[in-house]
Amino acid sequence: MRKYAIQIMQSYGRIARLAFAVAPVAAILILSGCGHSSSPPPRRDTGATPPPTREDTVEAGLRPPARESFRVRLQYLQSTQEEVLIAEQELVVSAHDIGLRRLPAGTWKVSARTLGPAKKSWPVFVKAFEHHETAALRDALEHWRKQGFAPSVTTMGHAVAGSGGALHDNRLYWLAVRRCASEAEAEALKKQLQGQKVWAWSREEVDNRARANITFRSATGGEVLHAASPVTVRSEGLLTLPDARKGHPPVTVPAPMEILADHTGHTAFLGEVALEEYLRGILPAEMYASWPLEALKAQAVAARSEVLVHARGKHFFDGYDFCIEQHCRAFGGRGLYDPRTDQAVKETEGIILVAADKSIVPTVFSSNCGGWTESNENVWDGAAQPALRGRPDSRDGERRGSHNHAERWLNSGGHAYCAGDKDYYRWTRSISLAKLSAQFNRDYGIGNLRSIEALERGVSGRLKSVRVVGDRKSAVINKELNIRRAFENLPSALCTFSIQGGTVHIRGAGRGHGVGLCQHGANGMARENLGYEAILRHYFSGVALARL
C-alpha cells in the first residue's frame, strides 16, 4: 500500500487563494480556517487550541504548510472530579508557568481548579455557504456591511487533495453579522433579524480559555505538581484513562495529551490520533469484527470519508473534532483493536468516497434499512445529496411512498441483502393505548387518543409526518426521529400503526434512519461474494473511490 502524506495549512487571518503542487506521493491538503473541531489544531509545543478563525474576506495569506499525517482531535474525558491517569513510562509535563517537569511512570490523580471564567462571545450567523459559493459569500458580506453590521466568516472543514491532484473540497463558511457580548444580546439580534425574514442562529464561542490550575497527585494522595492550564503531557509509552467511558473498558491512547479547564468549568482531557489509528479504534464498535472482510472494508472506507466530512460538525466550538462516546462515534482506544478490523483499515488505507464534484461524500450509515434505504432530505433538514438517494436493498425493487405500499412491503418477506438480521429486518411493538393517550395529551392536549394517521412517507416508506387524533383535537408530528421518539423510541420510522382494543400495534422494518450504508445489508452482500467497492456503489449513488 502506497503511503501518503498530508499537508495541513492553518489560517489565522484570512483564507488564501489555493496554490499548491501535488507531491509524487499522494497528498492531502487540509485548508482550514479554525483550529478546533473542523480540523486538527496546529502542532505547537503547548498543545493549545487557537480560537475559531474570524475572516471578513475569502482571500489572504496562509502560514506555510506543515507536512504531517492527518490527526483527529478527540476529547477523551470531561469531568468535575479528580480523574486517574496511568502512564506506562515517564511523563514529561509542560505548562507556561513551570516549563518542563518529569513525573515517574505509574498512577496519577489529576484535577483542575478554575480561577477565572472563560471569555466568550455569541456570534449571530445568518447563512452557511458551501465551498463553491465564495462569490455569493462576498456579495453577502458586502450586503451586511451596507446595513451597518460588521460581518465575519467562520470557516469549517477541509479541502483535500488526493492522488492525481484532484481537490476534494468540503469547506463550509458560516457568515455572522455580529459577535455579541452576551447570549441575551444575541437573542435580541436574532429577533430583530426575523423582521427581515432572516432566520439566524447563534453559538457560544470561547475567545479566551478559563484560567485554572491543574494538580497532579501521586497514588498515595500527596500533591506533586501544580501548573497553570493548559498542561501538555508527553510520554514514550501509552496513557490510560480508566474512567473515560463509564461502564466500558479503560481507554488507552498514545501521548501527547492536553489537560485543561474548558469553557464549562470542567476538566477536559484531549488528545490527537492519526486518522488510520482512529479508524482502528472505532471500527470494532461500528461493525461486528466477525463479519466478512469485504463488509468490514466497506465500513472502513465509509467511516474514513465520514470522519473527514463531519469533523466540521458537532464540536466545532468546543475545541475538538469528536468525543469518544456514541454521540459522535464510540472510540475504545488501543484496548479494543481487533485483528480483523485492523486488516480492513490497512487494506483500504487512504481510500475515500467522492461525489461527481470531487467533494468527499457524507457516508452516513445505519444498522438495518429494512430492505429499502431513504433519501437524506426525508430524514434531516438540508438539500438533497445526490449520493444519498433512497433505493432498494436488492437487485430489484418497487417504489413505495403510500400507506398501502408500505403495508404490503411490511407484510411481505421481501428479498433484501439485510434480511439476515432476524431481530430488526422485521419487527413488531405493542404499546398501551392509555399510556400513549396520556403522553400525547400531555404534549399536545389532544385528549384521548383515537387514531394514528400516516400523512407522508419517504421513498423507502419511512414516515415523514403522522397525525395523532384525539377526542379533543389532533396534532401532527413531523420528522423521522421525532416520530420514533414519540412512540417509545421505535427502531425505525418504516412502520404502520393499528389500534385494537386497548393496544397500539406497530409493524416495522429496519433499525436506524436508513440513509446511506446499510450495515446488515453490507454483511449480506459480502456473504454473496460481492467486494467492498460494489457494496459502496450499491448504497451511495454516483460515487467514485479516490485515494488520499
Side-chain angles (χ1 to χ4, degrees):
M1 179 74 66
R2 190 168 53 170
K3 296 292 181 182
Y4 56 87
I6 299 179
Q7 292 181 315
I8 300 179
M9 291 185 175
Q10 200 67 42
S11 170
Y12 295 92
R14 300 179 175 182
I15 304 177
R17 297 183 186 275
L18 300 181
F20 60 89
V22 178
V25 294
I28 298 180
L29 220 63
I30 305 297
L31 303 175
S32 175
C34 65
H36 40 305
S37 75
S38 70
S39 70
R43 311 299 298 151
R44 303 192 295 178
D45 288 343
T46 63
T49 310
T53 294
R54 300 166 186 178
E55 299 141 354
D56 56 8
T57 68
V58 186
E59 294 100 9
L62 284 171
R63 290 185 176 185
R67 184 180 295 276
E68 57 185 67
S69 61
F70 181 84
R71 302 184 72 79
V72 182
R73 185 165 174 81
L74 301 173
Q75 178 177 271
Y76 300 128
L77 178 61
Q78 184 188 53
S79 175
T80 57
Q81 304 174 354
E82 189 174 60
E83 295 292 341
V84 172
L85 172 65
I86 302 172
E88 285 184 349
Q89 297 185 35
E90 179 187 62
L91 293 177
V92 178
V93 181
S94 62
H96 70 83
D97 63 333
I98 64 168
L100 296 178
R101 298 288 182 85
R102 297 181 182 276
L103 297 177
T107 299
W108 295 96
K109 298 178 179 180
V110 184
S111 61
R113 182 167 66 92
T114 302
L115 303 175
K119 182 181 178 182
K120 305 173 185 178
S121 61
W122 283 261
V124 175
F125 299 101
V126 293
K127 191 169 183 181
F129 295 84
E130 295 290 340
H131 66 92
H132 53 81
E133 298 178 306
T134 53
L137 174 56
R138 293 188 191 95
D139 292 342
L141 285 164
E142 184 62 24
H143 167 78
W144 289 104
R145 286 193 193 99
K146 288 180 178 179
Q147 293 201 38
F149 289 94
S152 60
V153 179
T154 296
T155 306
M156 297 180 260
H158 312 299
V160 182
S163 58
L167 185 67
H168 311 301
D169 201 337
N170 284 79
R171 283 173 295 175
L172 185 69
Y173 307 114
W174 281 14
L175 172 61
V177 293
R178 183 181 299 159
R179 314 194 89 82
C180 298
S182 68
E183 188 172 10
E185 182 185 340
E187 288 300 316
L189 178 56
K190 286 162 60 179
K191 290 181 180 178
Q192 174 189 332
L193 291 169
Q194 285 181 17
Q196 302 181 40
K197 305 297 183 182
V198 176
W199 308 108
W201 69 98
S202 183
R203 296 289 186 272
E204 180 185 277
E205 181 175 282
V206 177
D207 296 324
N208 289 299
R209 287 174 170 169
R211 293 186 299 108
N213 284 329
I214 309 295
T215 298
F216 288 75
R217 295 195 303 128
S218 64
T220 57
E223 183 176 311
V224 173
L225 187 63
H226 200 59
S229 173
V231 170
T232 300
V233 176
R234 294 178 174 82
S235 179
E236 294 297 321
L238 297 174
L239 305 176
T240 298
L241 292 167
D243 298 319
R245 301 188 68 215
K246 302 296 183 184
H248 295 274
V251 172
T252 299
V253 294
M257 182 180 292
E258 185 181 14
I259 305 171
L260 55 92
D262 66 15
H263 64 286
T264 66
H266 291 73
T267 309
F269 294 76
L270 301 146
E272 296 177 350
V273 295
L275 174 60
E276 300 301 312
E277 179 161 352
Y278 181 57
L279 294 173
R280 293 174 66 192
I282 64 174
L283 209 60
E286 292 180 334
M287 182 173 278
Y288 293 111
S290 60
W291 281 7
L293 182 61
E294 292 303 306
L296 297 176
K297 288 162 71 173
Q299 181 69 55
V301 174
R304 183 180 293 108
S305 305
E306 193 254 354
V307 165
L308 289 172
V309 170
H310 290 101
R312 71 186 186 187
K314 295 177 182 176
H315 294 290
F316 182 92
F317 293 100
D318 295 322
Y320 54 91
D321 295 328
F322 306 111
C323 65
I324 63 170
E325 299 296 341
Q326 203 66 45
H327 173 258
C328 291
R329 59 188 66 76
F331 175 76
R334 294 195 175 185
L336 295 185
Y337 287 2
D338 184 277
R340 299 195 78 253
T341 49
D342 283 354
Q343 182 181 356
V345 172
K346 183 177 177 56
E347 291 189 10
T348 62
E349 184 177 359
I351 296 176
I352 57 172
L353 277 186
V354 297
D357 66 355
K358 303 303 181 183
S359 63
I360 304 173
V361 174
T363 43
V364 292
F365 46 87
S366 63
S367 176
N368 189 309
C369 69
W372 198 291
T373 68
E374 187 54 80
S375 298
N376 69 287
E377 70 276 13
N378 292 330
V379 175
W380 305 299
D381 292 330
Q385 294 277 350
L388 302 180
R389 301 295 83 208
R391 57 160 299 147
D393 191 29
S394 60
R395 293 186 180 89
D396 52 13
E398 57 176 319
R399 294 185 64 83
R400 296 175 311 285
S402 73
H403 178 76
N404 291 335
H405 287 164
E407 285 269 16
R408 186 168 69 249
W409 174 251
L410 290 168
N411 289 330
S412 71
H415 171 268
Y417 292 120
C418 58
D421 178 12
K422 303 304 181 185
D423 293 327
Y424 289 103
Y425 179 63
R426 294 288 183 270
W427 49 264
T428 60
R429 295 289 186 274
S430 296
I431 307 174
S432 162
L433 177 60
K435 186 177 181 181
L436 280 180
S437 285
Q439 174 188 319
F440 291 140
N441 189 48
R442 181 180 66 250
D443 294 343
Y444 304 106
I446 68 169
N448 294 313
L449 180 63
R450 295 298 186 221
S451 64
I452 304 164
E453 302 172 0
L455 298 181
E456 188 176 8
R457 294 181 182 272
V459 64
S460 71
R462 280 172 173 76
L463 286 163
K464 297 171 63 178
S465 62
V466 298
R467 179 185 288 117
V468 289
V469 181
D471 58 10
R472 190 177 303 159
K473 68 175 187 177
S474 64
V476 174
I477 306 173
N478 295 307
K479 295 293 183 183
E480 181 263 358
L481 184 57
N482 293 335
I483 294 168
R484 289 165 58 188
R485 287 174 172 169
F487 292 90
E488 299 191 348
N489 296 314
L490 296 176
S492 86
L494 176 46
C495 61
T496 59
F497 302 94
S498 64
I499 298 177
Q500 297 176 352
T503 304
V504 176
H505 297 282
I506 308 170
R507 291 180 58 83
R511 183 185 183 195
H513 51 70
V515 181
L517 176 73
C518 172
Q519 292 176 307
H520 276 275
N523 178 38
M525 293 183 74
R527 292 185 185 280
E528 293 189 17
N529 297 317
L530 292 165
Y532 78 94
E533 295 185 30
I535 294 171
L536 291 168
R537 289 194 172 97
H538 171 73
Y539 290 108
F540 300 101
S541 304
V543 300
L545 278 73
R547 187 181 297 280
L548 300 176

